[in-house]
């Protein structure tokens, strides 16, 4: 679907299912309640995000995510990230009201953190939603002082936008992503 300018809506280009060398990303569904509860209820996982959620709040979060995915047009896409058939975490893309930009985020369980899963998932998603014409930019945020998130954003080539309202913000726009793709890799 495109508008009068020929712009393609991001929901037409974001992948339903996608895979990387070791990950399989599938849309979140009703069966992912236990995963939502485990991730959003874990204090260590939520340490740089907010207060852990109880089971009922996590269930409401899943219901809200599913409503966003099923709205017309969809307001978001949430993927379950599996490694070797086991849930590693969640990846999200929440479209801003203008539908030209979106926020992305990755939430990983204890055994999945620090292993390059977030980097692999985002590196696979970004070219599909930014360079495919759907979005001008993708942004993300994390709490200041979250060294792992800082390192991830730098490794992916996101541009720092500064800190506001208690969040360190980063952005990847189409021009930046294309320049990174054209940069020769030296070993």
């Amino acid at each position: 679907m495109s508008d009068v300018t020929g712009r393609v809506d991001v929901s037409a280009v974001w992948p339903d299912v996608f895979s990387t060398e070791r990950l399989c990303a599938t849309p979140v569904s009703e069966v992912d309640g236990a995963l939502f509860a485990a991730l959003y209820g874990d204090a260590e996982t939520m340490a740089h995000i907010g207060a852990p959620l109880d089971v009922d709040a996590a269930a409401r979060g899943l219901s809200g995510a599913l409503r966003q995915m099923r709205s017309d047009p969809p307001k978001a896409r949430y993927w379950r990230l599996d490694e070797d058939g086991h849930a590693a975490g969640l990846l999200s893309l929440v479209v801003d009201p203008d539908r030209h930009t979106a926020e992305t985020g990755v939430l990983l369980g204890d055994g999945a953190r620090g292993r390059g899963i977030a980097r692999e998932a985002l590196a696979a998603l970004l070219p599909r939603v930014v360079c495919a014409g759907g979005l001008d930019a993708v942004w993300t945020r994390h709490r200041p002082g979250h060294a792992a998130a800082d390192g991830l954003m730098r490794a992916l080539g996101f541009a720092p936008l500064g800190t506001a309202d208690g969040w360190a913000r980063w952005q990847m726009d189409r021009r930046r992503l294309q320049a990174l793709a054209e940069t020769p890799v030296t070993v």
Side-chain angles (χ1 to χ4, degrees), residues 9-160:
D9 187 78
V10 66
S11 62
V13 297
W14 64 34
D16 190 38
V17 174
F18 67 96
S19 298
T20 68
E21 189 173 306
R22 64 180 165 157
L23 301 175
C24 181
T26 57
V28 166
S29 70
E30 289 83 359
V31 300
D32 292 312
L35 176 61
F36 253 67
L39 292 172
Y40 285 100
D42 180 65
E44 187 177 337
T45 301
M46 296 296 290
H48 297 287
I49 301 166
L53 303 180
D54 63 30
V55 174
D56 291 335
R60 288 190 302 275
L62 175 59
S63 293
L66 294 172
R67 274 192 308 279
Q68 288 179 313
M69 290 172 60
R70 293 174 180 150
S71 65
D72 186 20
K75 295 177 181 168
R77 172 64 83 193
Y78 296 84
W79 293 270
R80 172 190 171 115
L81 298 174
D82 287 321
E83 179 185 32
D84 296 326
H86 301 286
L90 299 167
L91 170 64
S92 64
L93 187 70
V94 180
V95 182
D96 293 330
D98 69 3
R99 302 193 68 80
H100 297 255
T101 58
E103 179 179 14
T104 192
V106 179
L107 194 61
L108 299 174
D110 182 39
R113 289 191 293 269
R115 298 183 36 240
I117 290 173
R119 182 179 182 174
E120 190 171 324
L122 286 168
L125 178 65
L126 289 171
R128 289 176 163 101
V129 298
V130 176
C131 290
L135 293 171
D136 294 330
V138 170
W139 61 277
T140 189
R141 61 188 167 154
H142 60 81
R143 295 291 183 198
H146 187 345
D150 273 345
L152 172 63
M153 294 302 100
R154 288 184 201 295
L156 288 167
F158 274 68

